[in-house]
């Protein structure tokens, strides 16, 4: 800005003052004022700080730089006056008072002398003048005055200045002499030595105190001299900076540079100090023009200053000038403008400027200065003032208004000040005008908050100016906010390189945002004053707020809304009530820049007012008022306001006005249509956090959620409205015109639709699809694992999900991550491809909130999925939702390549909904079409492929597709035979077709075995072929074997099997046995492994498994258990398939199975493990007979038969006990084998002795020959008759020789222990009924009955058995006192037995046992419990806290029904069950034991389906086809669940054994080990081995050794219970001598004759006719062996069903 004074010196071209001041900031630290060293000629240099150099310092300085580039109106030009021309001779003659040589020196000092001579003379004269009182020094100086002229050498000029200083030092100079010396100082035109001349001037004038004779000359030359000095200072600084740059460039590095000379800068500061002093001490001689010139020069320097020191020095001079002189208004205004600018831009100098202003306002210029300052503000729109100076002026006025009045500080009229503030709001020449308005607002806020000022305003009744200022600021602010938003939107697509930095800075210092606090303060003050004003003033304030086009804070909102409420302005009593309401809505709600809380408050107030309005005005007027509220959702982007608006819509939609309801739904649908996502779902910015979506997504979701809430609220009330909403939601869900976020919200409620048994519709709170969501990484756990996998794969830190599932929620269904497609860690192979942030998942399971509110807990009384009759003409009548439309929509989406988020949600949730058959009762054509579409897509591989950004594979999608197809099995009654077969083939094709689909397809085929057995039977051979090609995948081992175990128990499925088919089954088992062995080898410590030099002989299958297992890796937590379970299952399958063969086909498979059970270890030995041994034993037992169970007869001999003798032998791995009546020879033979015990009765067909027969005996025995006491047959005789002799001698193989056992206590105890070990694996399994709404454990266990379908299920689950004196293992149930009831249900086959613990059949005494601990003692200790869940609620794993409950098999009706509905529904169907109670269709049923039973009721209707799900301990793997929910018909339910429970019991037994650090031992193996212990005690030592091969431990790890097994066998005892056979060609076993056993006296006899025994190789077939079987059945022991006994009962472990 140019100075206002017209006679000011011209201002050189410069930067704007703002830039100059900023330059001062930048150079403040780099251009510090440095001292320079000055050395006197003979002595050390002297250094002084700038501004403190005296005249003597300057004169003595001798280090003179080269000529400076000073120019312009400098002091050199101003002092170009000539002195007197005195010739050398006259000067010499006039000088007196010196030494004799002075004259010579003066002549030598003449101008005609050589330069060096003059320098020497000047130096000597200078010394003389200091020591002698020389007179007429002016004459001396006249001789040397040309030495300081321009162009002289530096040393000559220095000598001249030294001489001039010496002359001036002479006392008593006259005014003339002083003037002449001053003229000499002014004389040189070269400004090079300005510092020296300035020092001499300061010395001459005694630092400004004495200017006698120089008054006129000095006052007119100060301003030009100051201007020239500043210019030279600037040039010097520029040169210094250029020098540093050039040197750094030469050195090619940034380094410290030695400071250049700062003579001009020091001279400049010294001159400023001199001016301050000379004006202070000689104020009278200065006139106004001089002061104005000095001030203008100082203002120019401030504008061009580059350091804060420059400005500070100038402020000090200005302070003195304005204190001691009068300053014109124009100049004073310019000074105030500069000082205000400094205050605003240089906070460090603010205190210095305030001191200057304080002095100014307290001086004689106080009133003019204050007026000038206010005028600066008032005239700012028309003047050229900078915005920073204007803001500084407002700051000064702001502070001044609140200063305590001290002395004569001027007063400011409040109205004059407010007018100025209002005028300055028109200033618009800067981008920082918003900051200016913020300053004004803060100023006004302080004014109105100040009680004294507010009292003045209220007293004058003049709030107009204040309100106008606020209104004007608000209007300007709103305009700029809109402009900024428009610019921001425009620049979104082309950001500048520095947009990020600037954006952050604006956000932190945005005055438009900071203005809110100032507005709040003003509004608070106005509202506080509203209580002290009359009604008209209060109304003025109210109308001011209504008129205000800007932000209104929460206090103003409260004031306005409360005023409207208090004065009933929302109601028709106010003539303008609708207009005022509309204005409030426009002012507050529709202005989306206002605070959300304010808008929500008004929305709630309007909603509260609607009830009164609707009651007092006509319906059409009330509708108009309601529409004002509803319309607020259109275009709304704030989630908080949108939520409140939508809540109002939800509340208003409950009105009985159908027009309003339709209007609300139309507006709501339009709001969803108009809000589109800013980016597609797969292109969202990766920097967006997972838990926070863009606002438009939130808005669309919230609007869709509003539809959901209205639908759920009308579900129980209005069928017609719910039907209309259903149609709208279908339209939204199926149209791509709507945002994906909104469509997913609609899908959430539509997929939660269910119907009960009466087809009444309801909405469930859970989507029941967590396992499928995990397959697509859409759960919190799997997404977190995927992020971790990505972090490990790429080395980058993964983004963590903010939402986590609650820790107390169990995984349902549970299972190992290795063996279930629904487990999270199976995602690890694919999760490594996941790129977190690459795509924004729009849905997660279960998500922060599945539905916007909790749905009704009861079914709808007016809305159904199927009805016999429907009357759509009556609004309140029951209606039907056409679920076929919903399925058609889903089929259309599946057929088209839909958005991935939509498609993924459908395939995850569709299966769970299809399980509810009642829901789709009227949509069978669509169900059939859906089946066809899915089968075609699987067959052609044409289903949706996931985007690459998800990291998923097509196999992951296939898992979900197969799950959906699995749920369609339950609709098989509606499918044709070809369609059923097609489904089976599709499942078969999924085995091995994709990674991770094999498991799901195998599970589906397991369900098909029960639901569509004919189709399975037709394709079973092909299925086996597919399974055999997939067995190298170790993770499906359990599932393949469980499937085969299922088939083995359903012989109708494989009744057409050929030998090759059986061999495929056995081959699969052999491969998995090898896998289990390999896994067991991996657990052997390194020190015990075979060295690398050992011979490796392993089958091909084991190598394949080893490779696959190493590649798959996986979770190691269950690897110790799963191989054992695989091992047990494999033998289980072998056992049952062999038993299920036709009797005539079994012998031909024995060699194949025997070979498969024998494997070669790493030492080349052939090994048969203990489980293999007992399996071979089982085959020998049943190869030629299906006669399993016999019974011991205590009365096999009559008294007349003679005394009974008993003897026991070890024959191979069996115990042979013969009890023989001594006279008749009637014998009972008991053969105890590992796999079972059998009893025979042998009765010799003895002829009566002839009369002429001589006696067989002599002596005393001859007398007894014909009496009953005669003993003529011993058990040994029966033994030798049974075993035919091979040799004439008594020699035989040691392995073939029966070994007699002693009749002592130790032996009898060992045999008793063996007999108590049952050949049946027995399990206790709980069956618990949960009634409607029950969740508490005690309440559930207190049930004494269940629903009718539960009763039918129990009846078909087993056989009713009386507990009193039962001769079976009851698994802890009391058999004597009846405390556990009188009956229970049991089930058994040839190898396993299940005792069901059923709390509803146990006594309930709530008075003595309130918590039902007696019942809990049984079900709480069962590994497996069957839950019949009729509660209508999801089952929680922790419902029954227990350390032993590992597995819950949860049965839930597919359609919820009450107790009465279930009874009525069941009573309408009377079909007999497909699987009778005695399970006659299963293996071995023809020989079931004759247990006490009662007739059972028929099964439930086969049309009824149930959902079966296996809930396991969190650490369990997936071990069942029901690891994911499966639909099962009522007819198949008992058999299916029983099989699940049996397999789960086996695994639980394996798990429990492993947790105790033990191997799982079956009952057969336990019996085998008992026999082996007897062999170790009684068998002769085996012959020495033919080679030095060490025995190898078997898988079981036992240490007992057994003898050879079987006749003619080459097997010799091996370590660990395994049979080891040496592969030594040509070796034959030598037969040791036959052994003879002696018999002790028995039956009262003192002695017995030793009898020789001849050993045969097998049972003689000729005795078969004399063997009488006693009963039939399974393989349990009975009679003397205790009938199974209770030895294993409740011992803390479970047995196994694997033999």
């Amino acid at each position: 800005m140019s100075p206002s004074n017209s006679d000011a010196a011209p201002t050189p071209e410069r930067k704007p003052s703002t830039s100059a001041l900023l330059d001062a900031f930048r150079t403040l630290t780099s251009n510090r004022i440095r001292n320079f060293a000055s050395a006197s000629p003979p002595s050390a240099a002297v250094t002084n700080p700038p501004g403190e150099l005296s005249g003597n310092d300057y004169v003595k300085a001798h280090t003179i730089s080269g000529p400076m580039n000073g120019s312009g109106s400098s002091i050199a030009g101003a002092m170009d006056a000539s002195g007197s021309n005195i010739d050398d001779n006259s000067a010499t003659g006039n000088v007196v008072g010196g030494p004799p040589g002075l004259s010579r020196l003066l002549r030598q000092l003449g101008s005609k002398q050589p330069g060096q001579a003059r320098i020497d003379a000047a130096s000597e004269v200078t010394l003389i003048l200091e020591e002698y009182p020389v007179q007429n020094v002016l004459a001396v100086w006249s001789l040397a005055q040309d030495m300081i002229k321009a162009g002289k050498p530096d040393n000559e000029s220095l000598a001249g200045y030294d001489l001039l200083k010496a002359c001036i030092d002479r006392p008593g100079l006259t005014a003339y002499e002083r003037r002449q010396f001053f003229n000499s100082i002014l004389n040189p035109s070269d400004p090079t030595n300005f510092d020296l001349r300035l020092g001499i001037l300061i010395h001459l004038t005694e630092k400004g105190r004495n200017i006698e004779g120089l008054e006129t000359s000095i006052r007119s030359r100060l301003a030009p001299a100051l201007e020239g000095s500043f210019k030279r200072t600037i040039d010097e600084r520029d040169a210094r900076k250029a020098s540093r740059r050039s040197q750094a460039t030469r050195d090619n590095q940034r380094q410290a540079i030695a400071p250049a000379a700062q003579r001009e800068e020091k001279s400049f500061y010294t001159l400023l100090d001199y001016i301050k002093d000379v004006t202070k001490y000689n104020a009278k001689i200065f006139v106004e023009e001089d002061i104005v010139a000095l001030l203008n020069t100082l203002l120019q320097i401030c504008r061009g200053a580059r350091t804060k020191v420059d400005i500070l020095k100038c402020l000090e001079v200005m302070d003195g000038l304005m204190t001691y002189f009068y300053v014109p208004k124009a100049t004073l205004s310019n000074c105030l403008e500069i000082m205000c600018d400094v205050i605003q831009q240089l906070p460090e100098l603010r205190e210095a400027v305030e001191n200057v202003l304080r002095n100014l306002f307290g001086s004689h210029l106080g009133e003019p200065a204050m007026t000038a300052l206010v005028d600066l503000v008032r005239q700012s729109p028309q003047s050229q003032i900078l915005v920073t100076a204007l803001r500084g002026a407002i700051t000064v006025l702001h502070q001044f208004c609140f200063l305590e009045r001290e002395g004569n500080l001027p007063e400011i009229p409040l109205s004059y000040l407010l007018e100025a503030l209002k005028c300055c709001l028109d200033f618009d020449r800067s981008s920082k005008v918003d900051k200016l308005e913020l300053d004004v607002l803060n100023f006004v806020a302080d004014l109105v908050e100040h009680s004294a000022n507010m009292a003045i305003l209220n007293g004058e009744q003049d709030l107009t100016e204040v309100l106008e200022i606020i209104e004007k600021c608000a209007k300007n602010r709103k305009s700029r906010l809109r402009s900024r938003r428009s610019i921001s939107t425009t620049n979104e697509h082309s950001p500048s390189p520095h947009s990020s930095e600037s954006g952050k800075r604006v956000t932190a210092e945005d005055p438009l945002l900071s203005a809110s606090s100032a507005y709040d303060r003003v509004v608070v003050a106005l509202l506080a004053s509203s209580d002290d004003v009359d009604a008209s003033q209060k109304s003025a304030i109210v109308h001011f707020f209504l008129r205000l086009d800007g932000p209104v804070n929460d206090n103003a909102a409260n004031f306005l809304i409360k005023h409207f409420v208090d004065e009933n302005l929302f109601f028709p009593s106010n003539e303008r009530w609708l207009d005022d309401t509309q204005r409030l809505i426009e002012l507050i709600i529709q202005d989306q820049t206002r605070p959300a809380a304010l808008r929500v408050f008004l929305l709630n107030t309007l909603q509260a007012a609607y009830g009164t309005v609707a009651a007092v005005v006509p319906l059409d007027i009330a509708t108009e008022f309601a529409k004002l509220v509803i319309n607020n959702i259109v275009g709304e982007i704030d989630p908080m306001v949108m939520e409140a608006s939508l809540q109002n819509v939800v509340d208003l939609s409950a009105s009985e006005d159908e027009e309003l309801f339709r209007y609300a739904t139309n507006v709501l649908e339009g709001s969803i249509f108009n809000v589109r996502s800013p980016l597609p779902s797969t292109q969202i910015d990766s920097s967006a956090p997972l838990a926070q979506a863009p606002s438009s997504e939130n808005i669309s979701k919230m609007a869709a959620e509003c539809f959901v809430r209205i639908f759920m609220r009308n579900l129980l009330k209005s069928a017609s409205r719910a039907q209309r909403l259903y149609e709208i939601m279908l339209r939204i869900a199926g149209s791509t015109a709507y945002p994906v976020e909104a469509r997913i919200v609609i899908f959430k409620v539509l997929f939660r639709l269910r119907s009960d048994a009466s087809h009444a519709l309801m909405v469930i709170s859970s989507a029941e699809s967590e396992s499928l969501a995990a397959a697509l990484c859409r759960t919190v756990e799997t997404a977190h694992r995927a992020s971790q996998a990505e972090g490990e794969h790429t080395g980058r830190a993964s983004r963590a999900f903010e939402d986590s599932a609650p820790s107390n929620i169990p995984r349902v269904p549970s299972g190992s991550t290795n063996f279930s497609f629904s487990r999270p860690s199976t995602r690890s192979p694919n999760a490594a491809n996941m790129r977190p942030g690459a795509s924004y998942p729009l849905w997660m399971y279960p998500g922060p909130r599945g539905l916007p509110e909790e749905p009704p807990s009861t079914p709808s009384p007016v809305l159904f999925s199927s009805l016999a009759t429907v009357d759509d003409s009556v609004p309140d009548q029951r209606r039907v939702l056409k679920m076929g439309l919903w399925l058609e929509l889903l089929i259309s989406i599946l057929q088209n390549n839909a958005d991935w988020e939509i498609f993924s949600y459908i395939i995850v949730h569709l299966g769970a909904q299809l399980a509810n058959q009642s829901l789709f009762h009227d949509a069978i054509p669509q169900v059939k079409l859906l089946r066809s579409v899915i089968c075609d897509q699987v067959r052609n591989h044409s289903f949706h492929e996931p985007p690459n950004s998800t990291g998923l594979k097509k196999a992951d999608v296939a898992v979900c597709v197969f799950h959906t197809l699995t749920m369609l099995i339950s609709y098989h009654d509606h499918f044709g035979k070809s369609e059923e077969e097609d489904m089976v083939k599709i499942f078969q094709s999924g085995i091995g077709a994709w990674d991770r689909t094999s498991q799901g397809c195998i599970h589906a085929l397991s369900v098909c075995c029960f639901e569509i057995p004919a189709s399975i039977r037709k394709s079973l051979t092909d299925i086996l072929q597919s399974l055999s090609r997939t067995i190298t995948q170790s993770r499906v081992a359990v599932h393949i074997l469980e499937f085969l175990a299922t088939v083995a128990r359903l012989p109708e499925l494989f009744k057409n099997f050929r030998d090759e088919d059986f061999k495929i089954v056995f081959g699969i088992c052999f491969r998995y046995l090898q896998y289990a062995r390999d896994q067991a080898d991996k657990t052997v410590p390194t020190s015990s492994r075979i060295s690398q030099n050992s011979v490796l002989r392993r089958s091909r299958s084991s190598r394949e498994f080893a490779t696959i297992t190493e590649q798959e890796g996986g979770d190691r937590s269950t690897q110790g258990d799963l191989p054992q379970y695989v091992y047990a299952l494999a033998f289980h399958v072998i056992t049952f398939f062999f038993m299920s063969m036709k009797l005539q086909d079994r012998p031909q498979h024995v060699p194949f199975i025997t070979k498969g059970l024998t494997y070669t270890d790493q030492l080349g030995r052939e090994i048969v493990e203990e489980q293999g041994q007992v399996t071979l034993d089982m085959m020998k037992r049943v190869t030629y007979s299906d006669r399993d169970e016999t019974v011991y007869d205590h009365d096999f001999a009559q008294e007349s038969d003679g005394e009974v003798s008993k003897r026991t032998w070890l024959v191979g791995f069996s115990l042979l006990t013969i009890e023989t009546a001594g006279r008749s020879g009637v014998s009972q033979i008991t053969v105890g084998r590992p796999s079972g015990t059998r009893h025979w009765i042998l009765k010799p067909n003895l002829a009566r002795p002839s009369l002429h027969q001589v006696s067989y005996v002599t002596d005393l025995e001859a007398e007894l020959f014909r009496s009953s006491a005669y003993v003529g047959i011993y058990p040994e005789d029966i033994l030798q008759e049974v075993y035919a002799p091979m040799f004439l001698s008594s020699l035989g193989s040691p392995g073939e020789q029966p070994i007699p056992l002693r009749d002592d206590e130790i032996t009898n105890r060992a045999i008793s222990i063996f007999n108590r070990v049952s050949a049946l694996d027995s399990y206790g399994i709980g069956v618990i009924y949960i009634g409607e709404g029950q969740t508490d454990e005690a309440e559930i266990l207190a049930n004494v009955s269940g629903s009718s379908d539960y009763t039918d299920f129990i009846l078909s689950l087993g056989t009713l058995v009386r507990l009193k004196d039962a001769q079976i293992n009851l698994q802890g149930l009391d058999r004597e006192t009846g405390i556990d009831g009188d009956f229970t249900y049991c089930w058994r086959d040839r190898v396993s037995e299940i005792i069901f613990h059923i709390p509803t059949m146990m006594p309930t005494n709530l008075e003595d046992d309130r918590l039902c601990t007696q019942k809990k003692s049984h079900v709480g200790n069962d590994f497996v419990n069957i839950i019949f869940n009729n509660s209508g609620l999801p089952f929680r794993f922790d419902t029954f806290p227990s350390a032993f409950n590992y597995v819950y098999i949860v049965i839930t009706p597919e359609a919820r029904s009450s107790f009465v509905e279930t009874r009525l529904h069941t009573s309408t169907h009377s079909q007999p069950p497909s699987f009778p109670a005695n399970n006659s269709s299963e293996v071995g049923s023809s020989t079931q034991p004759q247990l006490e039973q009662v007739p059972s009721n028929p099964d439930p209707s086969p049309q009824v389906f149930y959902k079966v799900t296996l809930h396991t301990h969190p650490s369990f793997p997936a071990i069942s086809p029901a690891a994911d929910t499966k639909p099962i018909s009522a007819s198949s339910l008992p058999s299916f669940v029983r099989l699940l429970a049996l397999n789960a019991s086996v695994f639980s037994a394996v798990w429990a054994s492993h947790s105790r650090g033990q191997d799982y031992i079956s009952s057969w193996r336990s019996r085998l080990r008992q026999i082996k212990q007897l062999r170790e005690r009684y068998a002769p030592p085996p012959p020495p081995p033919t080679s030095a091969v060490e025995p190898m431990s078997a898988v079981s790890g036992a240490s007992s050794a057994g003898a050879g097994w079987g006749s003619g066998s080459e097997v010799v005892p091996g370590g660990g219970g395994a049979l080891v056979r040496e592969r030594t060609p040509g070796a034959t076993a030598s037969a040791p001598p036959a052994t003879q056993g002696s018999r002790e006296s028995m039956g009262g006899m003192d002695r017995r004759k030793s009898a020789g025994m001849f050993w045969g190789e097998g049972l003689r077939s000729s005795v078969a006719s004399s063997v009488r079987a006693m009963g039939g059945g399974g393989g349990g022991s009975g009679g003397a062996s205790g009938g199974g006994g209770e030895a294993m009962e409740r011992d803390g472990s479970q047995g196994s069903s694997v033999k």
Side-chain angles (χ1 to χ4, degrees), residues 39-279:
S40 59
S43 60
V46 179
T47 304
N48 295 295
E52 297 295 332
L53 291 175
S54 64
N56 188 55
D57 296 328
Y58 278 96
V59 173
K60 289 183 178 180
H62 71 281
T63 304
I64 305 175
S65 303
M68 307 295 286
N69 295 327
S71 61
S73 55
S74 67
I75 195 171
M79 295 183 177
D80 192 12
S82 61
S84 59
N85 295 324
I86 305 173
D87 66 17
D88 298 344
N89 293 328
S90 62
T92 302
N94 294 332
V95 178
V96 294
L102 179 60
S103 298
R104 178 184 57 81
L105 294 174
L106 292 177
R107 287 192 296 273
Q108 187 178 348
L109 191 61
S111 59
K112 298 181 180 180
Q113 298 299 323
Q116 186 59 43
R118 298 187 71 190
I119 293 172
D120 295 340
S123 299
E124 293 185 19
V125 171
T126 299
L127 296 175
I128 292 173
L129 291 178
E130 293 176 354
E131 297 177 3
Y132 293 92
V134 178
Q135 300 296 324
N136 196 9
V137 292
L138 185 59
V140 175
W141 172 245
S142 65
L143 296 173
Q145 63 182 352
D146 64 321
M147 295 179 66
I148 62 174
K149 289 185 178 180
K152 293 294 183 179
D154 291 343
N155 54 355
E156 185 175 347
S157 297
L158 182 60
Y161 282 115
D162 288 342
L163 181 59
L164 178 59
K165 170 64 172 54
C167 294
I168 292 175
D169 281 343
R170 301 304 302 162
L173 294 177
T174 64
Y176 175 78
E177 291 176 328
R178 289 166 59 83
R179 189 163 45 254
Q180 291 302 319
F181 285 129
F182 180 73
N183 291 336
S184 295
I185 295 172
L186 299 178
N187 185 40
S189 58
D190 187 1
T192 302
N193 296 318
F194 176 75
D195 56 336
L196 301 177
R197 289 184 281 118
L198 178 60
I200 293 174
L201 175 62
I202 293 173
H203 191 72
L204 177 64
T205 59
E206 300 176 5
K207 296 185 179 181
R209 289 177 172 83
N210 182 11
I211 58 172
E212 182 184 359
L214 310 177
E215 294 86 350
T216 305
S217 301
I218 285 182
R219 66 181 177 83
S220 61
R221 289 178 170 82
L222 287 178
L226 182 61
E227 182 179 357
S229 178
F230 179 68
K231 292 177 64 178
R232 289 192 297 275
T233 300
I234 296 299
D235 294 340
E236 180 186 67
R237 290 171 178 169
D238 292 341
R240 189 163 60 246
K241 184 182 297 185
S243 175
R244 285 197 297 268
R245 290 176 179 173
S246 62
Q247 183 171 350
T249 303
R250 289 194 302 271
D251 297 343
N252 197 22
Q253 59 183 356
R254 306 293 295 178
Q255 60 181 6
I257 306 299
Q262 302 178 4
R263 295 174 59 190
E264 295 297 337
E265 185 178 72
K266 295 178 180 179
S267 300
F268 172 65
Y269 292 152
T270 303
L271 179 58
L272 285 172
D273 292 336
Y274 178 73
I275 292 174
K276 181 173 64 175
D277 293 337
V278 76
T279 54

Side-chain angles (χ1 to χ4, degrees), residues 784-799 831-836:
H784 179 65
R785 288 179 182 268
S787 299
Q788 287 183 333
E790 169 68 9
E792 296 172 0
H793 181 68
T794 62
R796 299 189 299 267
S798 62
R799 176 167 60 94
N833 300 325
M834 187 75 175
R835 295 188 293 276

Side-chain angles (χ1 to χ4, degrees), residues 1146-1362:
R1146 295 176 189 173
Q1148 59 184 337
H1149 287 278
V1150 171
F1152 178 77
I1153 297 176
T1154 303
K1155 182 179 179 181
L1157 294 180
T1158 305
Y1159 73 97
T1160 304
D1161 67 0
Q1162 294 180 347
L1163 296 178
R1165 299 178 301 182
E1166 292 186 350
I1167 304 296
V1168 180
E1169 302 145 314
E1170 278 188 349
Q1171 192 63 44
Q1173 296 172 36
V1174 297
T1175 303
L1176 293 175
D1177 178 72
M1178 176 274 303
M1179 289 193 300
K1180 289 186 177 182
R1181 182 168 57 87
V1182 301
T1183 299
Y1184 301 101
S1185 172
D1186 267 334
R1187 188 183 51 211
D1188 283 338
E1189 186 165 331
T1190 58
V1191 64
Y1192 180 82
D1193 187 359
H1194 293 274
D1195 301 323
F1196 73 94
Q1198 303 298 322
E1199 184 177 355
S1200 60
D1201 292 328
E1203 294 183 0
V1204 177
S1205 302
K1206 183 178 181 180
R1207 193 79 168 97
T1208 302
W1209 291 266
L1210 276 171
V1211 181
F1213 286 114
S1214 64
L1215 291 177
L1216 176 63
T1217 300
I1218 301 177
E1219 299 172 86
T1220 303
R1223 183 171 183 81
S1224 65
V1226 175
S1227 301
Q1228 182 165 239
I1229 302 173
T1230 301
V1231 179
R1233 309 173 67 128
S1235 61
T1237 300
R1238 286 182 178 176
H1239 307 277
W1240 289 272
I1241 293 179
L1242 180 65
K1243 184 177 181 181
N1245 192 12
L1246 297 177
R1248 180 178 296 272
S1250 301
L1251 294 177
H1252 59 279
Q1253 176 70 46
V1254 298
S1255 176
Y1256 294 160
V1257 295
T1258 60
D1259 301 332
L1260 296 177
E1261 292 184 353
E1263 300 178 0
L1264 300 175
F1265 177 71
R1266 298 184 182 275
S1267 66
S1268 61
Y1270 174 74
V1271 178
I1273 302 176
Y1274 288 111
E1276 288 82 352
D1277 179 68
I1278 304 300
L1279 179 65
Q1280 71 168 348
E1281 291 294 335
V1282 170
Y1283 280 82
M1286 290 181 59
F1287 308 100
L1288 296 177
S1289 65
S1290 59
L1291 300 178
S1293 173
E1296 303 170 358
Q1297 298 174 359
I1299 302 172
L1301 300 182
R1302 297 190 185 96
D1303 187 13
D1304 55 20
E1305 181 181 358
I1306 296 176
T1307 303
N1308 293 334
R1309 185 184 306 113
I1311 296 174
S1312 176
I1313 293 174
F1314 170 80
N1315 289 331
R1316 286 200 299 270
V1317 178
S1318 173
L1320 287 175
D1321 283 333
S1322 183
Y1323 305 100
I1325 297 175
V1327 183
I1328 304 174
Y1329 175 78
I1330 303 180
E1332 187 171 3
Q1334 291 181 340
T1335 57
D1336 181 67
E1337 176 188 38
E1339 181 184 12
I1340 295 170
L1341 293 178
N1343 289 327
V1344 296
S1345 64
S1347 60
S1348 58
D1349 55 346
Y1350 162 75
T1351 303
D1352 293 337
F1353 170 74
I1354 292 295
L1355 293 175
S1356 300
L1357 197 60
T1359 301
L1360 189 66
V1361 176
R1362 187 182 299 276

